[in-house]
Amino acid sequence: MTTTRRFTLGALAASIMLAGHTAHAEITDNEIRIGYLADMSGPYRDPIGPMGQDAIQMAIDDVGGSVAGANVVVFSADDRNSPDVGSSIVREWIDERNVDMVTGLVASSVTLAAVRLLEEENRLGLVNGAVSSGVTNESCSPNHIHWVYDTWAMSNGTAKAITQEGHHNWYLLSADYSFGHALEGDVERVVLENGGSVVGKARHPFPSSDFSSFLLQAQASGADVIALNNAGSDTINAITTAGEFGITQAGQVLAGMVLFSTDVRSIGLDAAQGLQFTKAWYYDLNDETRAWAERFRERTGSMPTMVHAGLYSSTLHYLQAVDAIGTDEAQAVRQQMAATPINDIFATGGYIREDGRMVHDMYLVEVKTPEESQNEDDLFRVVRTIPAEEAFRPLSESQCRLVANGA
């Protein structure tokens, strides 16, 4: 099915569905209420954290602060990477503040708990930080959309490229919770599909500050590649420790499966140079991304990560959908969002599938050497663009209950 055909059918479905909402199309409480739930103080603070709210506010500002005659209000909270804490916050937002949409949703364990609650209460969730591909696979729902990346896409880009370069034997070091488990499984699948093998595995506590024993085991395994199936400060600590042990200098490849620009800055180009990994977005892709990134830096003092860009993009698309149909009812808004292609600073020709996956191009990048870098923000070069249809799990392999041919 062509992209044009897909959008035409989506628009038709939305128009039919919306006909039933016309009589009560309205904005509840005469406000659009958004909850931003994220790790504000832990391992994901720098790449997402408090600055994610700035990205959301930029989207609100870009629609003039109101849509369909209603002001937009944002609540924010630190989930402390705890499913119980996150669920309690979302419950309070729904019961006491009548929040329409929850975004951020960073740790996969928190996200999976939150989206179940959002479905029960028919509110909308825009998942930007969580990486587990299960969010739109076995844990899909009609009440949430996964925007930035997932473990299927991140492993498909990085593990496939490294294995095809001739590095066949892998050791998998993974964070011991749902995200790390999902990434471990996806990396192993890609390695095996491309003729490689997994010679060892280990799981570390989340979060962790001491990677010495884990990396000594990985080094002793003789693997060609050590895959770091973690993110945030865990990845930074692991790469730093690997540098101290001379792992890459001895010939083993270190593969960071989820890396942010903030991580590379923290590690430094000397230690990070040559690392290849997959990104959903990078601020130096084109003139439009650079202009938006400069706006973000003027506001925050820092360049944005791919999740910050995703938060802006998904919030903007949500607000435009509400404005187009004049209601904040979750199913009506989701249908409108799915019927409308995403063309903004984050994606060109992006679209939302029936499983809730927002599909867009991804990028395999390599960290530049200190000599190649022109300035402090010149961190990566794009090795290849991974087309949208290749980047994410095909629907033919989906276990999502919303997909007609899902398992």
Side-chain angles (χ1 to χ4, degrees):
M1 182 184 292
T2 65
T3 301
T4 302
R5 177 69 170 160
R6 179 169 50 241
F7 290 141
T8 301
L9 291 176
L12 177 61
S15 64
I16 293 171
M17 185 280 305
L18 289 173
H21 290 274
T22 303
H24 57 86
E26 60 180 8
I27 306 298
T28 54
D29 306 307
N30 199 37
E31 286 184 338
I32 308 299
R33 297 179 179 175
I34 297 172
Y36 174 53
L37 185 67
D39 173 9
M40 301 293 197
S41 56
Y44 304 136
R45 183 187 189 282
D46 289 342
I48 306 171
M51 286 189 291
Q53 189 166 345
D54 289 286
I56 292 168
Q57 190 59 51
M58 286 173 68
I60 295 169
D61 293 345
D62 284 353
V63 298
S66 64
V67 293
N71 290 331
V72 183
V73 178
V74 180
F75 305 102
S76 65
D78 186 349
D79 60 28
R80 294 183 290 181
N81 292 309
S82 164
D84 290 340
V85 172
S87 294
S88 296
I89 291 167
V90 174
R91 169 57 68 191
E92 188 270 337
W93 279 347
I94 293 172
D95 291 347
E96 304 297 329
R97 306 190 187 192
N98 204 16
V99 160
D100 302 296
M101 184 269 279
V102 176
T103 188
L105 298 168
V106 179
S108 295
S109 55
V110 175
T111 299
L112 294 173
V115 296
R116 285 191 291 268
L117 186 54
L118 293 170
E119 182 179 11
E120 290 174 10
E121 300 295 335
N122 192 32
R123 307 302 166 97
L124 194 61
L126 300 184
V127 181
N128 282 277
V131 197
S132 173
S133 60
V135 170
T136 52
N137 196 36
E138 65 271 15
S139 298
C140 73
S141 87
N143 287 78
H144 70 269
I145 298 167
H146 202 178
W147 207 264
V148 177
Y149 46 29
D150 61 32
T151 53
W152 201 98
M154 302 301 265
S155 59
N156 191 53
T158 309
K160 182 177 181 179
I162 294 175
T163 305
Q164 289 181 346
E165 287 173 0
H167 306 292
H168 292 126
N169 300 319
W170 287 63
Y171 188 96
L172 310 183
L173 178 57
S174 310
D176 194 9
Y177 79 109
S178 54
F179 152 59
H181 302 169
L183 190 51
E184 176 187 285
D186 281 330
V187 170
E188 183 168 15
R189 171 187 55 79
V190 173
V191 169
L192 296 178
E193 286 176 354
N194 286 276
S197 63
V198 175
V199 299
K201 300 179 185 179
R203 291 176 173 176
H204 67 80
F206 167 75
S208 184
S209 58
D210 185 2
F211 282 85
S212 299
S213 62
F214 297 108
L215 286 169
L216 286 172
Q217 291 174 42
Q219 189 175 40
S221 73
D224 301 326
V225 185
I226 302 171
L228 302 178
N229 300 319
N230 49 26
S233 61
D234 282 340
T235 300
I236 293 171
N237 291 335
I239 292 174
T240 302
T241 303
E244 293 169 355
F245 290 168
I247 285 177
T248 56
Q249 292 90 328
Q252 286 177 298
V253 175
L254 204 61
M257 303 310 296
V258 181
L259 272 168
F260 298 94
S261 53
T262 48
D263 301 334
V264 173
R265 282 200 188 84
S266 180
I267 297 164
L269 292 184
D270 280 326
Q273 61 182 300
L275 276 173
Q276 287 191 3
F277 56 97
T278 304
K279 290 181 71 65
W281 180 89
Y282 175 42
Y283 50 74
D284 205 20
L285 286 172
N286 54 54
D287 290 343
E288 187 180 10
T289 59
R290 282 188 286 271
W292 183 83
E294 284 300 328
R295 285 179 54 203
F296 185 91
R297 177 159 60 179
E298 288 172 7
R299 182 185 182 97
T300 65
S302 176
M303 294 298 275
T305 66
M306 54 187 164
V307 176
H308 295 146
L311 285 162
Y312 171 86
S313 172
S314 57
T315 303
L316 184 66
H317 198 64
Y318 169 79
L319 294 174
Q320 290 171 336
V322 173
D323 194 44
I325 60 178
T327 179
D328 55 8
E329 196 278 323
Q331 295 307 310
V333 176
R334 190 184 191 278
Q335 289 282 355
Q336 177 66 21
M337 292 177 72
T340 309
I342 294 93
N343 291 297
D344 57 22
I345 59 96
F346 183 81
T348 300
Y351 62 93
I352 298 165
R353 298 192 311 202
E354 53 261 54
D355 61 349
R357 176 68 256 171
M358 200 281 269
V359 178
H360 54 85
D361 291 347
M362 299 283 287
Y363 306 92
L364 181 67
V365 303
E366 183 175 276
V367 179
K368 291 184 174 182
T369 66
E371 293 74 28
E372 291 174 318
S373 177
Q374 300 298 308
N375 55 63
E376 64 179 3
D377 298 319
D378 185 22
L379 303 176
F380 315 114
R381 67 177 184 88
V382 176
V383 177
R384 71 176 285 246
T385 298
I386 305 168
E389 299 294 344
E390 179 187 327
F392 295 94
R393 184 197 314 273
L395 286 177
S396 60
E397 298 178 10
S398 175
Q399 297 178 336
C400 173
R401 57 192 164 94
L402 304 176
V403 177
N405 296 320

